[in-house]
PDB file of all heavy atoms in Angstrom:
ATOM      1  N   ASP A   1     220.503 261.707 133.906  1.00  0.00           N
ATOM      2  CA  ASP A   1     220.356 260.556 134.801  1.00  0.00           C
ATOM      3  C   ASP A   1     218.876 260.226 134.972  1.00  0.00           C
ATOM      4  O   ASP A   1     218.079 261.099 135.334  1.00  0.00           O
ATOM      5  CB  ASP A   1     220.980 260.850 136.169  1.00  0.00           C
ATOM      6  CG  ASP A   1     222.490 260.845 136.123  1.00  0.00           C
ATOM      7  OD1 ASP A   1     223.037 260.037 135.352  1.00  0.00           O
ATOM      8  OD2 ASP A   1     223.119 261.644 136.842  1.00  0.00           O
ATOM      9  N   PHE A   2     218.534 258.973 134.734  1.00  0.00           N
ATOM     10  CA  PHE A   2     217.147 258.557 134.884  1.00  0.00           C
ATOM     11  C   PHE A   2     216.947 257.981 136.279  1.00  0.00           C
ATOM     12  O   PHE A   2     217.703 257.109 136.709  1.00  0.00           O
ATOM     13  CB  PHE A   2     216.783 257.516 133.825  1.00  0.00           C
ATOM     14  CG  PHE A   2     215.306 257.260 133.728  1.00  0.00           C
ATOM     15  CD1 PHE A   2     214.450 258.233 133.232  1.00  0.00           C
ATOM     16  CD2 PHE A   2     214.761 256.053 134.150  1.00  0.00           C
ATOM     17  CE1 PHE A   2     213.083 258.011 133.151  1.00  0.00           C
ATOM     18  CE2 PHE A   2     213.402 255.820 134.070  1.00  0.00           C
ATOM     19  CZ  PHE A   2     212.556 256.802 133.569  1.00  0.00           C
ATOM     20  N   PRO A   3     215.946 258.468 137.022  1.00  0.00           N
ATOM     21  CA  PRO A   3     215.774 258.046 138.416  1.00  0.00           C
ATOM     22  C   PRO A   3     215.274 256.607 138.544  1.00  0.00           C
ATOM     23  O   PRO A   3     214.737 256.040 137.587  1.00  0.00           O
ATOM     24  CB  PRO A   3     214.739 259.035 138.958  1.00  0.00           C
ATOM     25  CG  PRO A   3     213.959 259.456 137.759  1.00  0.00           C
ATOM     26  CD  PRO A   3     214.930 259.472 136.620  1.00  0.00           C
ATOM     27  N   ALA A   4     215.433 256.057 139.732  1.00  0.00           N
ATOM     28  CA  ALA A   4     214.996 254.686 140.005  1.00  0.00           C
ATOM     29  C   ALA A   4     214.165 254.645 141.282  1.00  0.00           C
ATOM     30  O   ALA A   4     214.512 253.976 142.254  1.00  0.00           O
ATOM     31  CB  ALA A   4     216.189 253.743 140.120  1.00  0.00           C
ATOM     32  N   PHE A   5     213.087 255.417 141.275  1.00  0.00           N
ATOM     33  CA  PHE A   5     212.128 255.400 142.366  1.00  0.00           C
ATOM     34  C   PHE A   5     212.761 255.885 143.670  1.00  0.00           C
ATOM     35  O   PHE A   5     212.810 257.076 143.917  1.00  0.00           O
ATOM     36  CB  PHE A   5     211.536 253.993 142.511  1.00  0.00           C
ATOM     37  CG  PHE A   5     210.184 253.958 143.184  1.00  0.00           C
ATOM     38  CD1 PHE A   5     209.103 254.621 142.642  1.00  0.00           C
ATOM     39  CD2 PHE A   5     209.989 253.243 144.348  1.00  0.00           C
ATOM     40  CE1 PHE A   5     207.851 254.583 143.254  1.00  0.00           C
ATOM     41  CE2 PHE A   5     208.741 253.204 144.972  1.00  0.00           C
ATOM     42  CZ  PHE A   5     207.676 253.876 144.423  1.00  0.00           C
ATOM     43  N   TYR A   6     213.273 254.983 144.508  1.00  0.00           N
ATOM     44  CA  TYR A   6     213.836 255.378 145.803  1.00  0.00           C
ATOM     45  C   TYR A   6     215.166 256.122 145.673  1.00  0.00           C
ATOM     46  O   TYR A   6     215.582 256.810 146.602  1.00  0.00           O
ATOM     47  CB  TYR A   6     214.077 254.148 146.677  1.00  0.00           C
ATOM     48  CG  TYR A   6     212.845 253.355 147.015  1.00  0.00           C
ATOM     49  CD1 TYR A   6     212.729 252.025 146.631  1.00  0.00           C
ATOM     50  CD2 TYR A   6     211.793 253.922 147.735  1.00  0.00           C
ATOM     51  CE1 TYR A   6     211.604 251.283 146.948  1.00  0.00           C
ATOM     52  CE2 TYR A   6     210.666 253.183 148.053  1.00  0.00           C
ATOM     53  CZ  TYR A   6     210.577 251.861 147.655  1.00  0.00           C
ATOM     54  OH  TYR A   6     209.466 251.120 147.974  1.00  0.00           O
ATOM     55  N   THR A   7     215.845 255.953 144.546  1.00  0.00           N
ATOM     56  CA  THR A   7     217.153 256.577 144.357  1.00  0.00           C
ATOM     57  C   THR A   7     217.105 257.562 143.187  1.00  0.00           C
ATOM     58  O   THR A   7     216.306 257.404 142.260  1.00  0.00           O
ATOM     59  CB  THR A   7     218.242 255.518 144.098  1.00  0.00           C
ATOM     60  OG1 THR A   7     217.913 254.781 142.911  1.00  0.00           O
ATOM     61  CG2 THR A   7     218.328 254.553 145.264  1.00  0.00           C
ATOM     62  N   ARG A   8     217.981 258.567 143.230  1.00  0.00           N
ATOM     63  CA  ARG A   8     217.932 259.631 142.234  1.00  0.00           C
ATOM     64  C   ARG A   8     218.517 259.226 140.887  1.00  0.00           C
ATOM     65  O   ARG A   8     218.303 259.903 139.887  1.00  0.00           O
ATOM     66  CB  ARG A   8     218.664 260.866 142.778  1.00  0.00           C
ATOM     67  CG  ARG A   8     217.917 261.521 143.948  1.00  0.00           C
ATOM     68  CD  ARG A   8     218.697 262.706 144.522  1.00  0.00           C
ATOM     69  NE  ARG A   8     218.888 263.780 143.566  1.00  0.00           N
ATOM     70  CZ  ARG A   8     217.997 264.737 143.305  1.00  0.00           C
ATOM     71  NH1 ARG A   8     216.819 264.724 143.920  1.00  0.00           N
ATOM     72  NH2 ARG A   8     218.264 265.679 142.432  1.00  0.00           N
ATOM     73  N   SER A   9     219.257 258.135 140.860  1.00  0.00           N
ATOM     74  CA  SER A   9     219.821 257.663 139.598  1.00  0.00           C
ATOM     75  C   SER A   9     219.740 256.146 139.518  1.00  0.00           C
ATOM     76  O   SER A   9     219.965 255.440 140.509  1.00  0.00           O
ATOM     77  CB  SER A   9     221.278 258.109 139.452  1.00  0.00           C
ATOM     78  OG  SER A   9     221.858 257.566 138.289  1.00  0.00           O
ATOM     79  N   SER A  10     219.419 255.657 138.333  1.00  0.00           N
ATOM     80  CA  SER A  10     219.338 254.215 138.108  1.00  0.00           C
ATOM     81  C   SER A  10     220.600 253.673 137.460  1.00  0.00           C
ATOM     82  O   SER A  10     220.751 252.463 137.284  1.00  0.00           O
ATOM     83  CB  SER A  10     218.149 253.914 137.185  1.00  0.00           C
ATOM     84  OG  SER A  10     218.344 254.532 135.917  1.00  0.00           O
ATOM     85  N   GLY A  11     221.506 254.594 137.082  1.00  0.00           N
ATOM     86  CA  GLY A  11     222.674 254.179 136.315  1.00  0.00           C
ATOM     87  C   GLY A  11     222.396 254.199 134.819  1.00  0.00           C
ATOM     88  O   GLY A  11     223.292 253.967 134.011  1.00  0.00           O
ATOM     89  N   CYS A  12     221.139 254.500 134.436  1.00  0.00           N
ATOM     90  CA  CYS A  12     220.754 254.586 133.029  1.00  0.00           C
ATOM     91  C   CYS A  12     220.517 256.052 132.656  1.00  0.00           C
ATOM     92  O   CYS A  12     220.240 256.885 133.524  1.00  0.00           O
ATOM     93  CB  CYS A  12     219.479 253.783 132.772  1.00  0.00           C
ATOM     94  SG  CYS A  12     219.634 252.017 133.110  1.00  0.00           S
ATOM     95  N   LYS A  13     220.616 256.324 131.383  1.00  0.00           N
ATOM     96  CA  LYS A  13     220.407 257.683 130.891  1.00  0.00           C
ATOM     97  C   LYS A  13     219.084 257.782 130.137  1.00  0.00           C
ATOM     98  O   LYS A  13     218.681 256.853 129.427  1.00  0.00           O
ATOM     99  CB  LYS A  13     221.552 258.089 129.950  1.00  0.00           C
ATOM    100  CG  LYS A  13     222.921 258.097 130.611  1.00  0.00           C
ATOM    101  CD  LYS A  13     223.066 259.228 131.604  1.00  0.00           C
ATOM    102  CE  LYS A  13     224.491 259.300 132.155  1.00  0.00           C
ATOM    103  NZ  LYS A  13     224.651 260.398 133.134  1.00  0.00           N
ATOM    104  N   ALA A  14     218.423 258.916 130.288  1.00  0.00           N
ATOM    105  CA  ALA A  14     217.232 259.205 129.500  1.00  0.00           C
ATOM    106  C   ALA A  14     217.647 259.720 128.130  1.00  0.00           C
ATOM    107  O   ALA A  14     218.790 260.154 127.937  1.00  0.00           O
ATOM    108  CB  ALA A  14     216.373 260.242 130.219  1.00  0.00           C
ATOM    109  N   ALA A  15     216.722 259.672 127.173  1.00  0.00           N
ATOM    110  CA  ALA A  15     217.031 260.162 125.829  1.00  0.00           C
ATOM    111  C   ALA A  15     217.169 261.681 125.814  1.00  0.00           C
ATOM    112  O   ALA A  15     218.015 262.234 125.102  1.00  0.00           O
ATOM    113  CB  ALA A  15     215.940 259.717 124.857  1.00  0.00           C
ATOM    114  N   TYR A  16     216.348 262.359 126.626  1.00  0.00           N
ATOM    115  CA  TYR A  16     216.331 263.821 126.624  1.00  0.00           C
ATOM    116  C   TYR A  16     216.136 264.330 128.048  1.00  0.00           C
ATOM    117  O   TYR A  16     215.738 263.581 128.944  1.00  0.00           O
ATOM    118  CB  TYR A  16     215.191 264.349 125.735  1.00  0.00           C
ATOM    119  CG  TYR A  16     215.206 263.775 124.348  1.00  0.00           C
ATOM    120  CD1 TYR A  16     214.309 262.769 123.990  1.00  0.00           C
ATOM    121  CD2 TYR A  16     216.122 264.223 123.400  1.00  0.00           C
ATOM    122  CE1 TYR A  16     214.338 262.219 122.716  1.00  0.00           C
ATOM    123  CE2 TYR A  16     216.153 263.679 122.123  1.00  0.00           C
ATOM    124  CZ  TYR A  16     215.254 262.670 121.785  1.00  0.00           C
ATOM    125  OH  TYR A  16     215.287 262.130 120.534  1.00  0.00           O
ATOM    126  N   ASN A  17     216.404 265.627 128.220  1.00  0.00           N
ATOM    127  CA  ASN A  17     216.125 266.276 129.497  1.00  0.00           C
ATOM    128  C   ASN A  17     215.193 267.458 129.252  1.00  0.00           C
ATOM    129  O   ASN A  17     215.340 268.196 128.274  1.00  0.00           O
ATOM    130  CB  ASN A  17     217.406 266.785 130.160  1.00  0.00           C
ATOM    131  CG  ASN A  17     217.118 267.532 131.451  1.00  0.00           C
ATOM    132  OD1 ASN A  17     216.562 266.973 132.386  1.00  0.00           O
ATOM    133  ND2 ASN A  17     217.469 268.810 131.493  1.00  0.00           N
ATOM    134  N   LEU A  18     214.218 267.601 130.136  1.00  0.00           N
ATOM    135  CA  LEU A  18     213.292 268.730 130.081  1.00  0.00           C
ATOM    136  C   LEU A  18     213.664 269.695 131.187  1.00  0.00           C
ATOM    137  O   LEU A  18     213.624 269.342 132.368  1.00  0.00           O
ATOM    138  CB  LEU A  18     211.853 268.239 130.242  1.00  0.00           C
ATOM    139  CG  LEU A  18     211.387 267.279 129.144  1.00  0.00           C
ATOM    140  CD1 LEU A  18     210.077 266.612 129.540  1.00  0.00           C
ATOM    141  CD2 LEU A  18     211.253 268.005 127.808  1.00  0.00           C
ATOM    142  N   ALA A  19     214.027 270.910 130.807  1.00  0.00           N
ATOM    143  CA  ALA A  19     214.539 271.870 131.780  1.00  0.00           C
ATOM    144  C   ALA A  19     213.448 272.541 132.592  1.00  0.00           C
ATOM    145  O   ALA A  19     213.711 273.078 133.667  1.00  0.00           O
ATOM    146  CB  ALA A  19     215.375 272.930 131.069  1.00  0.00           C
ATOM    147  N   SER A  20     212.206 272.518 132.094  1.00  0.00           N
ATOM    148  CA  SER A  20     211.135 273.236 132.783  1.00  0.00           C
ATOM    149  C   SER A  20     209.792 272.621 132.457  1.00  0.00           C
ATOM    150  O   SER A  20     209.653 271.817 131.520  1.00  0.00           O
ATOM    151  CB  SER A  20     211.129 274.710 132.356  1.00  0.00           C
ATOM    152  OG  SER A  20     210.773 274.813 130.980  1.00  0.00           O
ATOM    153  N   ALA A  21     208.783 273.051 133.217  1.00  0.00           N
ATOM    154  CA  ALA A  21     207.415 272.593 132.959  1.00  0.00           C
ATOM    155  C   ALA A  21     206.951 273.063 131.582  1.00  0.00           C
ATOM    156  O   ALA A  21     206.210 272.352 130.892  1.00  0.00           O
ATOM    157  CB  ALA A  21     206.480 273.119 134.046  1.00  0.00           C
ATOM    158  N   ARG A  22     207.390 274.230 131.175  1.00  0.00           N
ATOM    159  CA  ARG A  22     206.983 274.748 129.865  1.00  0.00           C
ATOM    160  C   ARG A  22     207.567 273.895 128.738  1.00  0.00           C
ATOM    161  O   ARG A  22     206.898 273.632 127.737  1.00  0.00           O
ATOM    162  CB  ARG A  22     207.408 276.211 129.714  1.00  0.00           C
ATOM    163  CG  ARG A  22     206.795 276.876 128.478  1.00  0.00           C
ATOM    164  CD  ARG A  22     206.912 278.382 128.540  1.00  0.00           C
ATOM    165  NE  ARG A  22     206.213 279.028 127.434  1.00  0.00           N
ATOM    166  CZ  ARG A  22     204.908 279.264 127.403  1.00  0.00           C
ATOM    167  NH1 ARG A  22     204.159 278.899 128.418  1.00  0.00           N
ATOM    168  NH2 ARG A  22     204.352 279.870 126.371  1.00  0.00           N
ATOM    169  N   ASP A  23     208.811 273.455 128.890  1.00  0.00           N
ATOM    170  CA  ASP A  23     209.402 272.573 127.885  1.00  0.00           C
ATOM    171  C   ASP A  23     208.601 271.271 127.764  1.00  0.00           C
ATOM    172  O   ASP A  23     208.356 270.767 126.672  1.00  0.00           O
ATOM    173  CB  ASP A  23     210.854 272.245 128.256  1.00  0.00           C
ATOM    174  CG  ASP A  23     211.803 273.398 127.968  1.00  0.00           C
ATOM    175  OD1 ASP A  23     211.381 274.358 127.290  1.00  0.00           O
ATOM    176  OD2 ASP A  23     212.960 273.342 128.430  1.00  0.00           O
ATOM    177  N   ALA A  24     208.214 270.742 128.915  1.00  0.00           N
ATOM    178  CA  ALA A  24     207.418 269.512 128.911  1.00  0.00           C
ATOM    179  C   ALA A  24     206.073 269.740 128.241  1.00  0.00           C
ATOM    180  O   ALA A  24     205.606 268.913 127.438  1.00  0.00           O
ATOM    181  CB  ALA A  24     207.221 269.016 130.344  1.00  0.00           C
ATOM    182  N   ALA A  25     205.447 270.873 128.534  1.00  0.00           N
ATOM    183  CA  ALA A  25     204.137 271.182 127.965  1.00  0.00           C
ATOM    184  C   ALA A  25     204.213 271.323 126.445  1.00  0.00           C
ATOM    185  O   ALA A  25     203.342 270.838 125.717  1.00  0.00           O
ATOM    186  CB  ALA A  25     203.595 272.460 128.591  1.00  0.00           C
ATOM    187  N   ARG A  26     205.242 271.981 125.965  1.00  0.00           N
ATOM    188  CA  ARG A  26     205.398 272.148 124.517  1.00  0.00           C
ATOM    189  C   ARG A  26     205.554 270.800 123.829  1.00  0.00           C
ATOM    190  O   ARG A  26     204.984 270.559 122.757  1.00  0.00           O
ATOM    191  CB  ARG A  26     206.616 273.029 124.223  1.00  0.00           C
ATOM    192  CG  ARG A  26     206.388 274.510 124.492  1.00  0.00           C
ATOM    193  CD  ARG A  26     207.678 275.285 124.366  1.00  0.00           C
ATOM    194  NE  ARG A  26     207.485 276.717 124.502  1.00  0.00           N
ATOM    195  CZ  ARG A  26     208.457 277.581 124.721  1.00  0.00           C
ATOM    196  NH1 ARG A  26     209.707 277.143 124.822  1.00  0.00           N
ATOM    197  NH2 ARG A  26     208.201 278.868 124.837  1.00  0.00           N
ATOM    198  N   MET A  27     206.330 269.902 124.440  1.00  0.00           N
ATOM    199  CA  MET A  27     206.522 268.571 123.852  1.00  0.00           C
ATOM    200  C   MET A  27     205.201 267.811 123.781  1.00  0.00           C
ATOM    201  O   MET A  27     204.875 267.188 122.762  1.00  0.00           O
ATOM    202  CB  MET A  27     207.548 267.788 124.681  1.00  0.00           C
ATOM    203  CG  MET A  27     207.826 266.394 124.151  1.00  0.00           C
ATOM    204  SD  MET A  27     209.080 265.526 125.108  1.00  0.00           S
ATOM    205  CE  MET A  27     208.190 265.267 126.664  1.00  0.00           C
ATOM    206  N   ILE A  28     204.422 267.858 124.859  1.00  0.00           N
ATOM    207  CA  ILE A  28     203.133 267.166 124.893  1.00  0.00           C
ATOM    208  C   ILE A  28     202.188 267.745 123.839  1.00  0.00           C
ATOM    209  O   ILE A  28     201.486 267.013 123.135  1.00  0.00           O
ATOM    210  CB  ILE A  28     202.507 267.281 126.302  1.00  0.00           C
ATOM    211  CG1 ILE A  28     203.392 266.576 127.327  1.00  0.00           C
ATOM    212  CG2 ILE A  28     201.099 266.696 126.323  1.00  0.00           C
ATOM    213  CD1 ILE A  28     203.041 266.904 128.773  1.00  0.00           C
ATOM    214  N   SER A  29     202.187 269.062 123.718  1.00  0.00           N
ATOM    215  CA  SER A  29     201.309 269.732 122.761  1.00  0.00           C
ATOM    216  C   SER A  29     201.667 269.376 121.319  1.00  0.00           C
ATOM    217  O   SER A  29     200.789 269.111 120.496  1.00  0.00           O
ATOM    218  CB  SER A  29     201.383 271.250 122.959  1.00  0.00           C
ATOM    219  OG  SER A  29     200.494 271.911 122.091  1.00  0.00           O
ATOM    220  N   VAL A  30     202.961 269.369 121.016  1.00  0.00           N
ATOM    221  CA  VAL A  30     203.397 269.027 119.659  1.00  0.00           C
ATOM    222  C   VAL A  30     203.031 267.587 119.324  1.00  0.00           C
ATOM    223  O   VAL A  30     202.586 267.275 118.214  1.00  0.00           O
ATOM    224  CB  VAL A  30     204.918 269.260 119.504  1.00  0.00           C
ATOM    225  CG1 VAL A  30     205.423 268.638 118.202  1.00  0.00           C
ATOM    226  CG2 VAL A  30     205.229 270.746 119.536  1.00  0.00           C
ATOM    227  N   SER A  31     203.202 266.688 120.290  1.00  0.00           N
ATOM    228  CA  SER A  31     202.840 265.284 120.072  1.00  0.00           C
ATOM    229  C   SER A  31     201.352 265.153 119.752  1.00  0.00           C
ATOM    230  O   SER A  31     200.958 264.399 118.867  1.00  0.00           O
ATOM    231  CB  SER A  31     203.173 264.450 121.312  1.00  0.00           C
ATOM    232  OG  SER A  31     202.770 263.108 121.141  1.00  0.00           O
TER     233      SER A  31
END
């Protein structure tokens, strides 16, 4: 679920989910 600022869901889906800060960091590093 992709958030919409004031609400936790916008009704739209994200392409991927990052389970942790480390997952996010690895993605940024690889990019």
